[in-house]
Amino acid sequence: MNAVIANLLPIVLFFVLFYFLLIRPQQKRQRAIQQMQANLKKGDKIVTIGGLHGIIDSVDEDKIIVRAGDGTRLTFDRSAVREVVAESKA
């Protein structure tokens, strides 16, 4: 019985370490990204996953309209936003 526990202990420790070093931090990052995308509002300066920098012109349930530097308005899914650079002051 002791030999079985001794053989399984390194495998169990490996999975526990794997969980705390890889899986848990990834879940935290994913939750933070979802929270940021849910809190988008008009006037926020954002960067999309494609690298486009712009200002949110309007927000819909699952889409946003981004105003680019030359005044062009582009429609994106909320999930296309990588980060909010500066929040609106409204």
Side-chain angles (χ1 to χ4, degrees):
M1 186 68 170
N2 262 349
V4 173
I5 294 173
N7 286 338
L8 289 178
L9 188 61
I11 294 171
V12 170
L13 287 175
F14 174 76
F15 282 112
V16 169
L17 194 67
F18 184 78
Y19 175 78
F20 281 106
L21 291 178
L22 296 174
I23 296 173
R24 194 161 177 243
Q26 179 62 29
Q27 288 174 340
K28 280 185 173 183
R29 278 191 297 273
Q30 190 64 30
R31 263 182 271 158
I33 289 170
Q34 288 173 345
Q35 182 73 22
M36 177 268 306
Q37 289 172 346
N39 292 333
L40 292 173
K41 58 190 174 297
K42 182 177 179 171
D44 286 350
K45 293 181 182 178
I46 56 132
V47 179
T48 66
I49 57 176
L52 178 104
H53 292 247
I55 299 172
I56 295 179
D57 196 47
S58 67
V59 179
D60 195 354
E61 191 169 316
D62 59 345
K63 296 195 184 308
I64 59 170
I65 297 177
V66 177
R67 192 174 62 242
D70 63 353
T72 306
R73 294 172 189 238
L74 305 164
T75 303
F76 288 93
D77 288 340
R78 276 183 185 252
S79 61
V81 177
R82 182 178 70 200
E83 66 179 303
V84 175
V85 179
E87 293 188 8
S88 66
K89 296 188 173 59

